[in-house]
Amino acid sequence: MPRRPTDAPGWLAHPLRWQRGPVPWPAVLRGALGMGPVFALGLAGGHGRTAVLGGLGAMFATINDRPGTWRSGAVTIVLPALAGALGLLLGQESGWRAVPVLAAVGLVSGAISVAGPVWSLAGLQLLVLTAVGSGTAPPAPGWPGAGAFLAGAAWPLLLRVLLRRPSGGRGRDERAAVADVFDALADALDAVGTAGAEPARRRLTATLDRADEALRLSAVLRLSVVLRPAAVLRLRTLLRRPGPIGGSRRPAGPPDVRPAARLDAAAALCEAAVALLWEGAPLPPRIGAGPRRLAEATRRDTLPGRLPAPVSDTAARSAFDRAVLDAGLAFVADSPAAPRPVRRPPVRPAGPAGRAYGLRVSACVTVSTAVALLLHADHWYWLPATAAFLVKPELGPLFSRTVSRFAGTALAVLAFAPLAPLLTGPWLPALTVTAAGALIPLALRHFAAQTAVVTVTVLAFVSAGGDREAAGSRLVDTAIACALVLLVGHLPRLADSQVRVGHRSAHALRHTRRYLDHVLADSRADDRADGPADAPAAAGQRAALRRAAYGSLAEARAAAETAAAEFRTGGGRDWLRVTAGAERIVDAATACAVRLEHGAARPAAPAARQVADALDAVADALELPEAGPRRLPAIGAPPEDCRTLHDIVAELHRIRDLTTAA
């Protein structure tokens, strides 16, 4: 929705936004039990530095304890914790010798951060713990310190496993993730023909990506599935007889395999649903009833019962109703194959996006480290660590991050000042850390609140270590870091947030091209098929390509929304409209796939190839803006009955116009 003239600009309004939602009580409990006991145990044993490092490990693990299955939580905790331990091992140089070390670590940290959200967390902890290791006096101990940090991070992970709800049986988390896809699908169908259709479709894409990630991690971490021979799986499934739809028996197939089959059924439903979204005609309520029943059956691990009868009045509705029935059959059909969730290729750290972001992080941290060494003889880690947090684009626009960081630190210092004289002995600091741990899940809804809670926690750590004058210096260092990052972050060609959006958008368009190639493949592909057995493989490949396209588009949109709220004096491309156009291209290709299955005319191979080449040309123009405007390759007139090519060509011209107008 375009911003009204009376609205505040995005860069000014963004710091005031607060995420809303229910209180995550299980996460609050894990936060309270995660940090305090680890810190108290170290203090009670008289090992102050070990207690602080263990508390830091527990603090970062609590921050990274995000919603999802316990297996996905294990990855988001373990990989960053290993990176943090490596940072402590690298941070053994003190004084000015630490500057080149932090510069190199900053370059690597920024480069690997573009590979995905978990790698971004790992890159952040690598850099922050390198600064902490170098900036304390004396430097943090090597292997003992890394071991204490990992032990502290392991405790919140163990709590996540121990405090799981016992009901639901094996695979409950995976079933819940797949059920959320069916529910999001029903919500998207209810929104067809309304202004909420596109946001509902984006939520559906995000939910499908989360379920896909949950099942992929489940397949990796559940060794009994990975190592079990396929012949044993086939024997087990053959010994089960499927019951009729609507029966009371449990679904067929091993419990480790059933969620993957349900996700495949949900992906097929999503494809048909996008075709309905593309038509834009409001739908009767019965259309969404089928997915909701499938969601409930998935959560309970039962059969879905009677599903709505099909009404095939259009090609899209016919495809959707058939997909609903196929999904119902998937609950009773044998599933001999192990789950094979889709992996979307990440952005390469060595590519342009990784190099640009790595240079930005390295420059900010190097300058901050040099200034910190000029101001402090020891305990100078706060300034470069603050800079490391501030350069993370997924935490919000740069101006918003700096304002929120300073405001959160100031609030924490004011709150901690009256507590500091009271924090004597091991128990009061531990109680303070326990209370802060309980607040972390709620504080993650706003960067300022997260900063305040983390700052109070760190001040409690250093106060227990004997540094009771740290609060004032932390506030001064935060102000200096904010000013430095604002200055470096707005230097031209070094830290342009729009460059990152261009990389993400180009990445998404190239995924879109691969998906479109598959959808618009010439009819000879059908003739080359070896038989009906090839149909599931082709459908699975198309689903994988579609999910990769939509997933990369979601990342591009997130980057575009951040760039739209950045403070900049000059003009720029309207990245939100660019990503919206790319989303419509994928929607058109999905609708085309549905129409082709129902006898629509397949476009000629030369026309399809010209459209694919045009997609590549637009992607190159987005990723390499310095090359100047580029003309789209000549595109022949597509068949009149092929709406897909007309729609895609129109969106490509709109994106090209937005690209060259800036």
Side-chain angles (χ1 to χ4, degrees):
M1 178 181 297
R3 182 173 60 86
R4 296 189 302 270
T6 55
D7 292 341
W11 62 270
L12 190 57
H14 192 277
L16 303 178
R17 298 174 185 170
W18 178 279
Q19 297 180 8
R20 302 182 182 275
V23 177
W25 292 112
V28 170
L29 178 61
R30 293 195 301 268
L33 298 178
M35 292 165 50
V38 171
F39 188 51
L41 183 63
L43 291 180
H47 303 287
R49 299 201 73 187
T50 301
V52 170
L53 291 174
L56 283 175
M59 182 188 75
F60 279 110
T62 302
I63 293 173
N64 296 335
D65 185 7
R66 305 299 171 84
T69 67
W70 75 267
R71 293 177 180 85
S72 63
V75 174
T76 59
I77 290 174
V78 171
L79 183 61
L82 292 174
L86 177 61
L88 287 174
L89 295 176
L90 295 174
Q92 298 301 300
E93 297 291 341
S94 59
W96 289 96
R97 294 191 302 273
V99 175
V101 174
L102 281 169
V105 172
L107 189 64
V108 174
S109 170
I112 66 174
S113 293
V114 303
V118 177
W119 286 104
S120 180
L121 294 173
L124 176 63
Q125 287 198 31
L126 172 67
L127 183 54
V128 170
L129 270 300
T130 303
V132 170
S134 299
T136 53
W143 289 105
F149 181 83
L150 289 176
W155 175 240
L157 176 60
L158 182 61
L159 285 176
R160 178 157 186 157
V161 176
L162 295 177
L163 297 181
R164 296 170 64 213
R165 288 179 295 177
S167 61
R170 187 171 60 175
R172 178 188 61 83
D173 290 340
E174 288 78 9
R175 294 199 310 272
V178 176
D180 289 342
V181 176
F182 285 114
D183 279 334
L185 174 59
D187 293 339
L189 292 171
D190 291 341
V192 171
T194 69
E198 285 197 9
R201 197 261 295 135
R202 295 186 192 112
R203 289 192 295 271
L204 172 61
T205 297
T207 307
L208 186 60
D209 282 344
R210 286 195 295 269
D212 183 69
E213 183 75 5
L215 266 67
R216 182 178 68 81
L217 295 174
S218 174
V220 171
L221 297 179
R222 186 183 284 136
L223 297 180
S224 62
V225 171
V226 175
L227 301 179
R228 186 181 299 143
V232 176
L233 281 177
R234 187 176 297 277
L235 177 63
R236 287 184 57 183
T237 54
L238 289 176
L239 293 176
R240 295 174 180 264
R241 289 191 177 184
I245 295 179
S248 59
R249 294 174 51 196
R250 292 175 63 84
D256 292 344
V257 173
R258 286 197 294 265
R262 311 301 178 261
L263 184 60
D264 288 341
L269 274 174
C270 290
E271 182 177 53
V274 169
L276 292 173
L277 286 167
W278 184 254
E279 289 185 349
L283 302 172
R286 72 157 196 89
I287 297 292
R292 295 197 190 280
R293 292 183 185 179
L294 294 172
E296 187 65 21
T298 301
R299 285 194 178 91
R300 296 175 179 271
D301 200 19
T302 60
L303 299 177
R306 187 179 298 276
L307 297 173
V311 178
S312 303
D313 50 354
T314 67
R317 289 194 188 185
S318 176
F320 182 80
D321 286 324
R322 189 179 68 181
V324 170
L325 295 180
D326 289 344
L329 292 173
F331 278 72
V332 295
D334 292 336
S335 304
R340 293 178 299 173
V342 177
R343 292 190 65 181
R344 184 168 69 252
V347 179
R348 294 182 297 109
R355 293 194 300 269
Y357 185 48
L359 179 61
R360 175 184 186 178
V361 173
S362 181
C364 289
V365 171
T366 302
V367 173
S368 299
T369 302
V371 173
L373 287 169
L374 291 173
L375 296 177
H376 306 283
D378 51 21
H379 299 293
W380 48 262
Y381 61 86
W382 189 264
L383 215 160
T386 299
F389 280 101
L390 289 176
V391 295
K392 300 296 289 182
E394 58 266 36
L395 298 179
L398 180 58
F399 180 82
S400 177
R401 292 197 301 274
T402 54
V403 170
S404 298
R405 182 76 185 186
F406 181 78
T409 304
L411 179 63
V413 168
L414 291 176
F416 188 80
L419 293 176
L422 305 177
L423 297 182
T424 57
W427 301 114
L428 286 178
L431 288 176
T432 302
V433 171
T434 300
L439 291 175
I440 282 180
L442 294 175
L444 292 176
R445 298 178 179 182
H446 195 281
F447 190 47
Q450 177 184 343
T451 298
V453 173
V454 169
T455 301
V456 168
T457 304
V458 174
L459 289 176
F461 287 160
V462 299
S463 178
D467 186 3
R468 301 187 178 278
E469 305 297 329
S473 63
R474 297 299 184 269
L475 183 59
V476 174
D477 286 349
T478 298
I480 296 173
C482 289
L484 289 175
V485 172
L486 273 178
L487 177 62
V488 177
H490 286 98
L491 291 177
R493 291 192 173 273
L494 176 63
D496 189 358
S497 62
Q498 298 191 49
V499 173
R500 179 174 177 267
V501 191
H503 293 318
R504 291 288 184 183
S505 299
H507 191 60
L509 285 180
R510 292 192 178 100
H511 277 298
T512 302
R513 186 249 164 88
R514 286 191 283 272
Y515 174 48
L516 192 62
D517 282 344
H518 189 273
V519 171
L520 298 181
D522 61 1
S523 57
R524 293 193 302 272
D526 297 330
D527 300 331
R528 290 193 301 265
D530 295 331
D534 287 342
Q541 183 184 5
R542 189 174 71 200
L545 292 170
R546 184 182 65 253
R547 272 187 261 174
Y550 277 120
S552 56
L553 280 171
E555 294 174 354
R557 172 163 284 277
E561 290 173 347
T562 298
E566 291 282 12
F567 174 76
R568 59 181 186 270
T569 56
R573 294 172 180 169
D574 192 339
W575 288 109
L576 289 175
R577 291 178 63 187
V578 170
T579 54
E583 289 166 348
R584 285 191 290 270
I585 289 174
V586 186
D587 287 349
T590 303
C592 175
V594 173
R595 289 196 295 266
L596 291 177
E597 285 186 350
H598 287 76
R602 188 179 296 273
R609 189 163 50 250
Q610 288 173 342
V611 172
D613 291 342
L615 268 172
D616 281 341
V618 173
D620 291 341
L622 292 177
E623 189 167 31
L624 303 171
E626 65 275 7
R630 301 187 178 196
R631 295 185 58 187
L632 289 179
I635 303 176
E640 289 300 325
D641 56 351
C642 183
R643 293 185 298 164
T644 298
L645 289 189
H646 285 287
D647 295 335
I648 291 176
V649 169
E651 291 300 333
L652 282 173
H653 280 286
R654 290 192 187 97
I655 294 176
R656 191 273 314 271
D657 293 341
L658 291 171
T659 302
T660 58

